[in-house]
Amino acid sequence: MTTADDRVTPDGSERESEEYFPDDAAKRAGVEVWFDEPNAPDAGTGDDRPTPPAPPPVVIEDGLISKRLRRPMDLVRFLIAILAMAAIGAIAYFATSTTTGLGTDLTEASRRLPDPIVLVLNVIAGLGLLTLPVAAAVDLLVRGRGRQLLDALLGLFLSAAALSTMTYVVEQYGSARWQIALAGSVNPQDSPFLPLLGGLVGFITVARLMARAPWNILSATVVVSLFAVSVITGGTTVAGIGLSVLTGWAVGLAVRYALGTPTTRPSGGQVADTLAAAGLPVSVLRAEDVTDVGRRYLGVRTPEDSTLEVYVLDRDLEGAGLAQAVWRSLRLREATPGGFNMRRSLDQRALMTYSTSHAGVPTPRLLAAREVGPDASLLAYERVAGQTFDALLPDELSDTALDNAWRALDRLQRADIAHRRLTADHLLLGPDDSVTLLAVGEGTIAAGDVVLRIDIAELLCTLALQVGVDRAIASGRRVIGTQALTRALPVLQPVALSPSTKKAVRHDKQLLIGLRDQLIEIRPDAEVEHIELERIKPRTLLMIIIGSIAVYVLLSQLAQVNLMDLFANAKWEWLIVAVIASLMTYPGAAWSLTGFVPEKLKLIRTIAAQLAGDFATLVAPPTLGAVAINLRYLQKSGVHPALATASIGVSQVGAFLVHILLLLGFGVAAGTQQDFSFEPPRGAVLAGAAALIIIAGAFLLPPVRKIVWDRAGPLLRQVGPRLLTVAQQPWKIVEGIGGMLVLNLGYILCLAACVNAFGGGLSFAAIAVVYLTGSVVGQAAPTPGGLGAVEAAMAAGLTLAGLDSGLAFSAVLLYRVITFWMPTVPGYFSFNWLQRNNWL
């Protein structure tokens, strides 16, 4: 850039004039152009000397930009490489014939290439393998990147070492199937992997040759040539070659992420120059902090005496938070992933700012959006004076301030714009109690109804955490009205809130309960909607994984059993008894519920709800599915949600006590019989005794007792008053306990009938002990319907009780078909019938 002392024109000739004006186009190009204007004396001195240029801005960064950094996208690419390696390995192993045949076809086809082409490929591969690393090393040294060269050589060595180790493991310890899948044969001369190819890919990755021209073309040409030559010569399958390339890439990315790479971020001086080019020159530019996507600066403009808030989006940080965002998108139905590309993030933030400004929402004004070289962009906002809500005490927030926060949200709602992060640090209180919304860049335009409701719930929780539930709800009612405020009720769930609000709500466990209760009280006539926000729950994901394992184990067992022979060999009279006993359980389950509900319930509908619960256990653990169905059924039957929860709690506690008493009673009865022998392994006995001692010892510790009471206390406080209400009607107690007895005895009789259907000779008491023990295991298992766990526990129990293992498995399988699989069909129709009639 030329200065006032140079006084030259673009062609290099000296100017006669002393006055200059910066031309806009030249300014953007980085050149100050001088213009002739004779007889223009300086206003301050009266002579013809030029006005000195403004001093350069003072940039304060304090080491904010590190010389080396870990790029989030490197970690993302590393995970992609690992997944691709696992996929190729699985395909090569399980489809060995297909992959081997594909490799053979490619080898035969490539050998038909003209000899000159094969010669050229060999020359490029051979020379490139030797000269490409050397040439790249010289280039890195010339550019002063000696540290990066050492890192690249380390990546080359580690990649080659990893592939050599994998080759040794496959050759020495791998099965013949693995050797055929990767090497094409069991011949020791055929190598399953190519360490040199993988090492070269690792070097290219760490040296970042693919990011610079013409090195990207040269690197791709050499790697493709090596790949083609390897296919032509054979000795390694396509899967082995692909795994070699991916291993080199993965190791290179791991080295690059672990050691860091040289930064390409523009300096604060470049940011100041970009602001000046945008017509926003600053005298001081001070770095404030590092954000998820870049940096934040404060710029002081001396002539205007104003302050800018500048956000720099760095390409180095592309991909930050990607894993969390992907998980949130998979888990939640209304999650909107942010822009993880620098350009998309810039567009998103600018669009949201202009949209909210057009809607009249109080937000900081966007003054400029500019690119700062190829690796960064900036957004310059007008800084608004004030304090964020999280820095204020409750008495410092007046009702006017709370009302202004709701007014800002109301303008967002009317424009169908969702903020998505209405936390206390994004609400700025001005000197006149005005409220400005910050961080609107991650919001959504044309938002759906559920997302808009979540914004109301978020602001409601934020204000309640700051000033209490009463003031937050009162302010919301004054501004947006009761009807609009109660729209937040179905989405007042921790999973819907932003991470900071969710964390605060978890510390104040009564906050959501208080908000829900007051919202229901201010509009008791409104029907409470149910909005399922989660698409996949962590527990559901765990259930899918464990359920898949259980199904695999069960199917492997079923493969050894002929179902036709199983039912053909069973005694049909006992099958009829088993089916009748299974049918007995449904009235028993209905009575066990209605016995603890003082309100009158229709028996037929209640039985249908129990059948629907059997259908629900296909996708949920047995207790969880039945409880959810019963809770929904009671609410639809006119029982208050809190009373419905308390009734089910009483029922569950009663069922647990009856179950324990039956287990003790039948255990004593079975132990007094001479033909009953139960000799568990000594290790299991010792482990059980140790577990009981540890549990008893843990209860002696006050923190453990506090944790147990914190979890069980609320349930007991709900169960106690409800139990007293039910106790005033003795016949209800008899109905509930009688239903539990019928339920358990029906299942025991069904299992006994299945055992006798195959000629088993166990006593009824022994079978009862096996059922009661196995059902406990099934209730604890996280798989749908206790799948896998019930079969294993009951089959093992019958075998230990003296039944033949094959007969025990057949009896348990028949029992599960009758009590678990068959009821799902009528359960499906019951579920739909209850929903059609609005009873569920």
Side-chain angles (χ1 to χ4, degrees):
M1 179 181 292
T2 57
T3 64
D5 293 332
D6 296 326
R7 298 199 301 273
V8 295
T9 61
D11 60 0
S13 61
E14 186 175 355
R15 285 286 184 189
E16 296 179 359
S17 170
E18 303 293 318
E19 182 90 10
Y20 75 97
F21 296 90
D23 178 78
D24 287 340
K27 191 174 185 180
R28 285 193 297 270
V31 179
E32 290 182 349
V33 183
W34 294 73
F35 294 90
D36 287 321
E37 188 169 327
N39 303 321
D42 183 78
T45 61
D47 57 16
D48 293 337
R49 286 181 298 175
T51 302
V58 177
V59 178
I60 305 172
E61 291 191 297
D62 295 331
L64 190 69
I65 303 178
S66 58
K67 294 182 178 180
R68 301 178 69 85
L69 62 108
R70 294 183 176 90
R71 300 171 185 262
M73 281 305 297
D74 287 344
L75 184 59
V76 174
R77 295 186 183 106
F78 173 76
L79 296 176
I80 293 174
I82 296 297
L83 293 175
M85 290 172 62
I88 291 177
I91 293 173
Y93 183 80
F94 292 106
T96 306
S97 300
T98 303
T99 54
T100 304
L102 176 63
T104 303
D105 294 341
L106 287 175
T107 301
E108 293 297 328
S110 60
R111 287 175 179 172
R112 297 179 184 178
L113 292 172
D115 292 338
I117 295 179
V118 176
L119 178 62
V120 170
L121 289 174
N122 278 279
V123 171
I124 294 176
L127 291 178
L129 186 62
L130 297 175
T131 59
L132 181 64
V134 175
V138 173
D139 176 72
L140 290 173
L141 290 175
V142 170
R143 294 166 53 212
R145 297 290 183 91
R147 168 70 184 276
Q148 190 174 3
L149 173 59
L150 294 177
D151 294 345
L153 293 175
L154 178 62
L156 186 153
F157 171 76
L158 292 178
S159 300
L163 287 168
S164 299
T165 304
M166 292 165 60
T167 300
Y168 176 79
V169 170
V170 171
E171 290 177 348
Q172 298 298 322
Y173 304 103
S175 62
R177 187 170 183 176
W178 270 118
Q179 295 181 19
I180 294 173
L182 299 175
S185 67
V186 293
N187 188 347
Q189 296 180 352
D190 294 334
S191 176
F193 301 107
L194 302 175
L196 292 179
L197 175 59
L200 179 63
V201 173
F203 179 88
I204 292 171
T205 302
V206 180
R208 298 183 64 85
L209 298 183
M210 296 302 294
R212 299 176 56 239
W215 294 102
N216 51 0
I217 299 176
L218 295 175
S219 301
T221 302
V222 172
V223 171
V224 171
S225 300
L226 284 169
F227 193 100
V229 169
S230 301
V231 172
I232 294 172
T233 57
T236 304
T237 63
V238 176
I241 300 171
L243 285 174
S244 300
V245 173
L246 288 173
T247 301
W249 188 40
V251 173
L253 289 169
V255 171
R256 207 161 77 181
Y257 186 78
L259 301 180
T261 54
T263 182
T264 58
R265 298 179 180 181
S267 65
Q270 293 171 285
V271 173
D273 291 341
T274 304
L275 288 172
L280 300 170
V282 294
S283 57
V284 178
L285 187 68
R286 183 176 69 251
E288 290 294 305
D289 53 35
V290 178
T291 66
D292 293 338
V293 293
R295 294 159 280 162
R296 185 172 69 91
Y297 291 87
L298 288 182
V300 179
R301 303 185 66 194
T302 303
E304 292 83 0
D305 194 23
S306 61
T307 306
L308 302 178
E309 195 155 11
V310 183
Y311 290 88
V312 178
L313 311 180
D314 292 312
R315 196 179 298 276
D316 285 343
L317 294 178
E318 286 184 345
L322 179 60
Q324 183 180 5
V326 169
W327 165 243
R328 188 172 175 85
S329 298
L330 290 174
R331 183 183 179 187
L332 301 180
R333 300 180 186 274
E334 298 295 336
T336 302
F340 298 100
N341 174 276
M342 182 193 72
R343 172 57 60 181
R344 291 182 181 177
S345 182
L346 178 71
D347 295 343
Q348 163 79 5
R349 292 166 185 268
L351 174 63
M352 282 299 304
T353 303
Y354 290 137
S355 299
T356 52
S357 177
H358 179 72
V361 181
T363 58
R365 188 162 59 98
L366 179 62
L367 302 177
R370 291 290 189 274
E371 188 179 71
V372 191
D375 295 312
S377 300
L378 67 80
L379 294 163
Y381 294 90
E382 182 182 42
R383 182 171 176 79
V384 181
Q387 286 183 292
T388 55
F389 277 27
D390 60 337
L392 300 172
L393 297 174
D395 55 359
E396 294 178 301
L397 289 170
S398 65
D399 289 344
T400 303
L402 300 181
D403 292 352
N404 286 333
W406 283 109
R407 288 190 183 96
L409 174 65
D410 186 50
R411 292 183 179 179
L412 286 175
Q413 299 273 313
R414 292 178 185 277
D416 284 349
I417 299 175
H419 187 285
R420 306 188 76 96
R421 295 179 64 189
L422 286 169
T423 54
D425 56 331
H426 294 150
L427 300 173
L428 185 71
L429 181 65
D432 56 349
D433 277 347
S434 62
V435 174
T436 303
L437 302 185
L438 306 179
V440 298
E442 297 183 17
T444 306
I445 61 172
D449 178 68
V450 175
V451 180
L452 295 176
R453 290 181 184 223
I454 292 175
D455 259 8
I456 300 175
E458 180 93 47
L459 183 59
L460 193 57
C461 291
T462 297
L463 297 182
L465 287 167
Q466 293 293 122
V467 300
V469 173
D470 295 336
R471 289 185 63 192
I473 290 182
S475 177
R477 294 181 68 183
R478 286 195 301 268
V479 177
I480 66 174
T482 301
Q483 183 175 357
L485 192 64
T486 53
R487 292 175 61 234
L489 189 56
V491 294
L492 274 174
Q493 307 174 33
V495 71
L497 305 175
S498 59
S500 58
T501 307
K502 186 191 305 181
K503 184 178 180 180
V505 166
R506 284 176 177 170
H507 286 296
D508 188 357
K509 299 183 181 298
Q510 297 300 316
L511 182 77
L512 287 182
I513 298 175
L515 287 172
R516 291 194 191 102
D517 290 345
Q518 287 209 24
L519 289 177
I520 292 174
E521 287 178 5
I522 63 177
R523 200 178 175 200
D525 57 330
E527 181 181 354
V528 178
E529 301 175 70
H530 177 73
I531 297 179
E532 186 63 47
L533 297 176
E534 291 184 281
R535 183 184 291 112
I536 298 176
K537 298 181 181 179
R539 184 185 180 96
T540 305
L541 188 61
L542 178 64
M543 283 172 14
I544 292 173
I545 295 173
I546 298 178
S548 300
I549 297 173
V551 170
Y552 177 78
V553 173
L554 184 60
L555 290 179
S556 64
Q557 295 174 338
L558 288 176
Q560 305 173 8
V561 178
N562 190 321
L563 292 179
M564 297 301 295
D565 292 343
L566 177 68
F567 286 99
N569 294 331
K571 299 177 182 178
W572 285 98
E573 61 272 18
W574 285 109
L575 287 179
I576 295 173
V577 173
V579 171
I580 295 174
S582 177
L583 293 176
M584 286 172 48
T585 61
Y586 294 100
W591 291 326
S592 68
L593 177 64
T594 58
F596 296 99
V597 179
E599 293 80 4
K600 186 173 181 59
L601 300 174
K602 297 288 186 181
L603 181 61
I604 299 299
R605 293 181 194 171
T606 310
I607 293 175
Q610 308 315 303
L611 274 170
D614 280 350
F615 171 69
T617 55
L618 281 176
V619 293
T623 303
L624 185 61
V627 167
I629 291 293
N630 286 331
L631 181 60
R632 185 69 173 168
Y633 168 69
L634 291 179
Q635 292 179 7
K636 286 292 185 178
S637 299
V639 182
H640 191 276
L643 297 179
T645 304
S647 296
I648 292 178
V650 173
S651 177
Q652 292 296 314
V653 172
F656 173 76
L657 295 176
V658 169
H659 197 98
I660 295 299
L661 292 175
L662 287 175
L663 183 59
L664 292 175
F666 280 114
V668 172
T672 59
Q673 296 176 1
Q674 296 180 355
D675 59 343
F676 178 73
S677 62
F678 177 66
E679 299 180 359
R682 180 176 298 177
V685 174
L686 293 176
L692 291 175
I693 293 174
I694 292 173
I695 293 173
F699 269 93
L700 297 177
L701 302 175
V704 175
R705 293 200 303 271
K706 183 177 184 302
I707 292 174
V708 173
W709 176 250
D710 288 342
R711 294 182 176 274
L715 177 62
L716 295 177
R717 284 192 291 269
Q718 286 182 338
V719 167
R722 195 61 167 170
L723 187 58
L724 291 176
T725 302
V726 174
Q728 297 175 7
Q729 306 177 43
W731 284 109
K732 281 287 185 180
I733 297 290
V734 173
E735 180 183 355
I737 296 177
M740 293 171 186
L741 293 173
V742 171
L743 176 67
N744 284 282
L745 292 176
Y747 280 128
I748 295 171
L749 181 59
C750 181
L751 180 59
C754 292
V755 170
N756 284 279
F758 294 99
L762 290 181
S763 66
F764 188 81
I767 294 173
V769 172
V770 171
Y771 160 75
L772 293 168
T773 306
S775 63
V776 171
V777 175
Q779 300 288 348
T783 56
L787 190 63
V790 173
E791 290 82 359
M794 289 188 175
L798 292 175
T799 303
L800 290 174
L803 203 62
D804 178 74
S805 59
L807 194 151
F809 179 73
S810 299
V812 172
L813 180 62
L814 180 60
Y815 167 79
R816 290 290 279 171
V817 169
I818 294 174
T819 60
F820 178 70
W821 294 107
M822 288 176 56
T824 57
V825 177
Y828 170 77
F829 291 105
S830 297
F831 187 86
N832 288 329
W833 177 65
L834 291 171
Q835 281 200 323
R836 277 198 312 270
N837 291 279
N838 200 30
W839 296 328
L840 192 62

